[in-house]
Amino acid sequence: MNRQRIVITGIGGLCALGNGAPAIWDAMRNGRSAIGQLVHSPLHDLKTRSGAEITELPDHGIDRKQLVSMDRFSLLAVIAAREAMAHAGLVSDETNTYRMGTIVGVGVCGWEAIEENYRAILLDGRNRAGIFTVPKVMPGAAAGQVSMSLGLRGPVFGVTSACSSSNHAFASAVDQLRAGRADVMVAGGTDAPLVWGIVKAWEALRVLSPDTCRPFSADRQGLVLGEGSGMAVLETYEHAIARGATILAELAGAGMSGDASDIVAPTVDGPAAAMRACLLDAGLAPEEVDYINAHGTGTKANDQIETAAIKRVFGAHAGKLSVSSTKSMHAHCLGASGALEMIACVMAVREGLVPPTANYREADADCDLDVTPNVARRREVRVALSNGFAFGGTNAVVAVKAA
């Protein structure tokens, strides 16, 4: 199959692990978990106090006129996108602005603004909402704000598929590049769910851990919510070579599927189908994969089902795979998770280092893969998969290949 190769030339991000992709990767490779007690988020009467929050934003220098129209999830996206573009050495101008675009995945959109307005109107007795409420809360706001901040006038839109949003954004960006609609796409995800209403809703689902996230460990008690954003600059191989760019890795393929089963309970079939589709799209045999950044949320059912799906797809090779869940460190950042995990995959293939599953304490017979417990491991990583499986049975998997 001969078609356009898509490469990654820049990455950026911020989350509780740190501001900037280098800081995030340094924490991941050293197995440092950023999960702890939430202290900056106004959580009112919530029982849940564990999370992974950004304690201090970097000095971003965003113009106040733009800043007042942005909810936190959009602000995080713009900061990460700026870093990724600078890392790629790209600037838009009149010669390329219509050949550059952005696609940003979100899980829960602008709930900070929604909550502020509900409280102002219902509790404080104000008679009108904030003037920028609608443009702040719309799911496509982050993509629009990234476009405006970087001057990207090519394909620009948002995607939302809960926890698979980032991987669907990457897949959609690859499609734009392969279709010839753009030469460069800034893609990734963002979410800022640490607000009272969102955490309260997750609390009702009874899937939140009371302390920390322990993916694949027999004593795991659930997931932990976090906030953050991750972005990657994707280019056609020809465009990157022509401008002399440093190629970090190749985004070799993407696979998607739907469970068509249950709004919250996952299946083995759906995730397995997405992984198979990704391998087919990338032209890879299962035996060529070295590392899987697992969806790995830390819930009893999800970790068991993902293990079973990996075994179904990879057969005997499953025992030779390195698997880990970096959500054990940055928590579940919903629509941003896949983009933060993209940073892990890119750096894993570049450095030959598998980041660990932190907080692991006890083996589980139903999660008997090599989950890289607690300590990073040196090994050649030629191909890494990043799994994203979401409520609604929406699954998306991407393959990162060494350049």
Side-chain angles (χ1 to χ4, degrees), residues 189-251:
T190 187
D191 252 328
L194 299 179
V195 296
W196 180 82
I198 294 297
V199 181
K200 190 78 171 176
W202 277 92
E203 206 174 64
L205 285 170
R206 299 182 181 179
V207 295
L208 294 182
S209 171
D211 52 8
T212 193
C213 182
R214 306 183 189 281
F216 304 111
S217 185
D219 60 346
R220 63 192 182 277
Q221 297 184 75
L223 61 87
V224 174
L225 293 175
E227 62 177 348
S229 179
M231 293 288 165
V233 174
L234 310 183
E235 300 183 53
T236 62
Y237 175 78
E238 290 78 7
H239 186 271
I241 291 297
R243 70 180 188 88
T246 298
I247 295 174
L248 304 178
E250 181 176 350
L251 207 167

Side-chain angles (χ1 to χ4, degrees), residues 26-44:
D26 183 67
M28 286 179 175
R29 71 200 304 276
N30 286 292
R32 292 199 301 269
S33 176
I35 296 169
Q37 289 292 294
L38 297 172
V39 295
H40 295 278
S41 303
L43 298 179
H44 308 288

Side-chain angles (χ1 to χ4, degrees), residues 160-184:
T160 180
S161 54
C163 314
S164 296
S165 297
S166 286
N167 282 357
H168 277 116
F170 290 131
S172 298
V174 167
D175 289 345
Q176 302 308 308
L177 294 167
R178 286 177 176 169
R181 298 189 184 101
D183 300 316
V184 175

Side-chain angles (χ1 to χ4, degrees), residues 119-145:
R119 289 187 170 274
I121 293 168
L122 297 176
L123 298 181
D124 300 337
R126 296 184 188 177
N127 62 3
R128 67 176 65 185
I131 190 170
F132 289 112
T133 300
V134 170
K136 276 185 174 184
V137 307
M138 59 189 187
Q145 295 286 3

Side-chain angles (χ1 to χ4, degrees), residues 69 110 118 138 319 348:
S69 68
Y118 281 169
M138 59 189 187

